[in-house]
Amino acid sequence: KIGTSEKISIGVSYASGSNSRFELKSTKDVVIKNSPVTLLVKMPGTVIRGSLFEFEIDYKNVTQYDFPDVALQINYPDTFRYDSTSIPHEAANNYWRLGRLARGASGNIKIKGVYTGPDEVTLEIPMIFYAQFSGKDYEIAESKTTATPSPSPVRLSILVNNREKYVARLGDKLTFAIRYENRSGVALSDV
């Protein structure tokens, strides 16, 4: 993580021709100053519950090193329903093995989905960028993007026998009422 310090230790052990064994150890603190990959997320300022929206992720290798294999993982909250993406992905819909990322190279992913949460809860989508070394993924960048939900322009409620929570029994006569309200402030056509 940026701003943290990691301790790196290295040791060399060798034997000379006279069967004497020598060992040399050194430890160094390394401060992580910035991320080797930048992640820029373009999210709409507001999203409407139940409506499809798109956000875009731009990534770029800002080091002098070529990464042989990189991946992006997005941790969708329960209030986000994935729809589609601009590039192929793993079966989980939230993990992309992107392959080689040369120094200075960049890429872009567009993702579409639907916000399904309440109007008053901010949508947060965290993401982690990985580089693979010796068959293991290492986190090299992270980002969290947010969007403010906008109230739905139409309020809808369904009543059964004039109650929102009605438990029906066998033989009950059920009367359904659908109530809707335009909260947008403008007339809606073709509803």
Side-chain angles (χ1 to χ4, degrees):
K1 304 230 185 244
I2 296 173
T4 62
S5 177
E6 295 290 332
K7 206 174 275 291
I8 297 176
S9 299
I10 189 166
V12 176
S13 177
Y14 59 96
S16 70
S18 62
N19 290 332
S20 297
R21 187 154 188 81
F22 297 96
E23 189 170 287
L24 181 63
K25 289 185 179 179
S26 182
T27 301
K28 177 94 174 154
D29 283 329
V30 177
V31 177
I32 301 170
K33 293 185 178 178
N34 51 21
S35 182
V37 172
T38 59
L39 291 173
L40 174 64
V41 183
K42 300 171 193 165
M43 176 78 83
T46 59
V47 294
I48 297 175
R49 184 171 51 121
S51 294
L52 188 67
F53 71 95
E54 179 179 86
F55 65 97
E56 196 170 337
I57 304 163
D58 292 326
Y59 57 92
K60 182 175 183 177
N61 180 351
V62 292
T63 69
Q64 296 301 310
Y65 178 76
D66 295 343
F67 293 109
D69 194 12
V70 296
L72 176 67
Q73 179 179 359
I74 300 178
N75 299 313
Y76 300 128
D78 293 338
T79 57
F80 179 82
R81 190 178 74 236
Y82 168 84
D83 180 71
S84 62
T85 185
S86 61
I87 63 171
H89 52 80
E90 302 291 326
N93 299 333
N94 67 338
Y95 187 84
W96 291 264
R97 180 71 53 198
L98 301 168
R100 184 174 184 268
L101 185 63
R103 62 180 152 204
S106 60
N108 175 279
I109 300 172
K110 294 178 183 172
I111 299 167
K112 289 183 181 177
V114 176
Y115 175 69
T116 59
D119 292 340
E120 61 278 352
V121 175
T122 300
L123 171 64
E124 290 187 348
I125 302 177
M127 53 196 73
I128 303 170
F129 205 86
Y130 296 98
Q132 190 177 80
F133 300 100
S134 301
K136 186 174 178 193
D137 283 342
Y138 293 91
E139 181 181 326
I140 60 171
E142 66 180 342
S143 179
K144 184 186 289 186
T145 188
T146 60
T148 304
S150 183
S152 177
V154 176
R155 180 182 303 199
L156 180 69
S157 63
I158 302 173
L159 303 175
V160 179
N161 292 353
N162 290 322
R163 288 189 243 161
E164 286 185 18
K165 295 181 180 180
Y166 180 81
V167 178
R169 294 182 195 38
L170 185 64
D172 281 359
K173 182 179 177 181
L174 304 178
T175 304
F176 293 89
I178 300 172
R179 293 186 180 159
Y180 53 92
E181 174 188 1
N182 178 1
R183 302 187 303 177
S184 69
V186 297
L188 300 175
S189 63
D190 297 325
V191 176

